[in-house]
């Protein structure tokens, strides 16, 4: 498993016709993805409005995949008819190749990410995926608290890119964030009073049915987002 890598791809759509198509593929793409060689785990993901927001962003969808190795991922992106259809319909595509550094928790009962043994000492950037299923009785309290806990995020100059993603709006949510280095991430995670308080509330109330936290080393990127590559590797 030492060669396992993950990819996270974002797609952006403009026309109403293509947005409807992308929404439909949240269901119909499974038939293809279940049979992809070298694919260990995947999730088709919608996204939220700017920030970590429960309101859907119908123009952006994401595909998270965990691979046996980089060769399997390359074969998929270069030869898959499904990828070709996504590219034809979308106006922007951006893929990050990721090596896992640490993972805690489960996603849909699985532990998809395995720490990679071959991490580069010359790549300072770090990516983070957090994912949780929120208990129904805590939904209102959770979303009411989110704006306060997220405020320090936007004041951190080390944040390169972030997007709220998820499988089911409101209940099953995740965040992806990309940071210029470990120091920038630690400043937000461990020195922000609002974020520290949010962690304390999570532990006190136990408002998740399931949660996962994972850090990655981003070592390769393909494509761009809004005309800019958030990470030039």
């Amino acid at each position: 498993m030492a060669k396992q890598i993950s990819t996270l791809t974002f797609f952006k759509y403009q026309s109403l016709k293509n947005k409807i198509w992308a929404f439909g593929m949240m269901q119909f793409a499974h038939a293809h993805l279940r049979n992809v060689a070298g694919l260990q785990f995947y999730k088709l993901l919608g996204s939220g409005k700017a920030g970590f927001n429960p309101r859907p962003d119908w123009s952006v969808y994401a595909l998270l995949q965990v691979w046996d190795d980089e060769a399997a991922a390359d074969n998929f992106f270069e030869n898959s008819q499904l990828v070709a259809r996504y590219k034809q319909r979308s106006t922007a595509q951006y893929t990050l190749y990721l090596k896992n550094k640490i993972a805690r928790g489960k996603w849909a009962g699985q532990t998809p990410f395995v720490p990679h043994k071959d991490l580069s000492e010359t790549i300072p950037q770090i990516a983070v995926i957090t994912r949780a299923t929120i208990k129904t009785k805590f939904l209102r309290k959770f979303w009411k608290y989110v704006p306060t806990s997220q405020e320090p995020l936007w004041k951190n100059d080390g944040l390169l890119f972030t997007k709220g993603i998820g499988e089911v709006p409101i209940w099953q949510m995740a965040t992806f964030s990309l940071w210029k280095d470990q120091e920038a991430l630690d400043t937000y995670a461990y020195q922000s009073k609002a974020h520290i308080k949010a962690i304390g509330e999570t532990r006190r109330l136990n408002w998740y049915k399931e949660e996962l936290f994972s850090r990655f080393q981003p070592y390769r990127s393909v494509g761009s987002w809004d005309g800019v590559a958030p990470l030039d590797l």
Side-chain angles (χ1 to χ4, degrees):
M1 301 295 286
K3 293 184 178 181
Q4 183 202 79
I5 63 110
S6 300
T7 57
L8 179 61
T9 305
F10 290 93
F11 299 96
K12 181 174 286 187
Y13 303 87
Q14 286 188 342
S15 70
L16 177 61
K17 180 180 179 180
N18 286 333
K19 289 177 183 178
I20 293 173
W21 179 87
F23 179 76
M25 292 305 288
M26 291 285 286
Q27 175 62 36
F28 299 131
H30 288 291
H32 180 96
L33 291 168
R34 291 191 189 104
N35 300 311
V36 174
L39 183 60
Q40 301 176 4
F41 177 90
Y42 75 89
K43 287 295 176 181
L44 292 157
L45 304 164
S47 75
K49 295 288 186 180
F52 190 47
N53 196 310
R55 293 178 298 167
D57 180 353
W58 303 110
S59 67
V60 176
Y61 290 81
L63 175 60
L64 173 66
Q65 296 166 285
V66 180
W67 301 95
D68 287 346
D69 51 36
E70 187 173 347
D74 287 344
N75 182 60
F76 173 77
F77 286 111
E78 292 170 8
N79 301 308
S80 168
Q81 293 183 358
L82 179 67
V83 172
R85 293 172 66 192
Y86 270 100
K87 288 182 177 179
Q88 183 180 22
R89 295 275 188 169
S90 59
T91 57
Q93 310 92 32
Y94 183 64
T95 299
L96 274 169
Y97 283 68
L98 310 164
K99 293 179 180 178
N100 185 256
K101 299 183 74 172
I102 185 173
R104 296 194 296 268
K106 293 188 176 183
W107 192 323
Q110 300 183 54
T111 52
F113 307 117
V114 176
H116 203 285
K117 295 182 180 179
D118 184 21
L119 297 174
S120 172
E121 296 182 358
T122 62
I123 298 176
Q125 296 93 340
I126 187 165
V128 179
I129 293 177
T130 62
R131 185 266 183 185
T133 299
I134 308 163
K135 293 179 180 178
T136 303
K137 65 180 180 179
F138 290 127
L139 283 172
R140 183 175 180 180
K141 187 176 184 66
F142 173 84
W143 286 110
K144 184 178 180 179
Y145 192 76
V146 163
T148 300
S149 65
Q150 293 289 293
E151 184 178 349
L153 192 67
W154 311 113
K155 297 178 180 179
N156 192 313
D157 294 335
L159 179 66
L160 300 176
F161 178 80
T162 187
K163 188 67 173 173
I165 49 181
E167 300 141 275
V168 180
I170 311 295
W171 280 275
Q172 292 182 331
M173 302 298 295
T175 61
F176 173 77
S177 56
L178 181 63
W179 303 82
K180 72 176 184 180
D181 52 34
Q182 185 70 49
E183 182 181 358
L185 173 60
D186 289 346
T187 297
Y188 169 68
Y190 304 120
Q191 297 181 29
S192 162
K193 292 182 180 180
H195 189 256
I196 292 172
K197 184 178 179 181
I199 295 174
E201 286 291 283
T202 298
R203 292 172 178 169
R204 183 177 69 87
L205 296 173
N206 189 29
W207 53 24
Y208 299 143
K209 288 183 179 179
E210 182 183 60
E211 60 180 316
L212 176 142
F213 172 83
S214 191
R215 292 185 179 182
F216 301 85
Q217 181 175 86
Y219 70 96
R220 177 182 169 193
S221 65
V222 179
S224 63
W225 200 251
D226 292 331
V228 177
L231 184 67
D232 256 331
L233 290 174

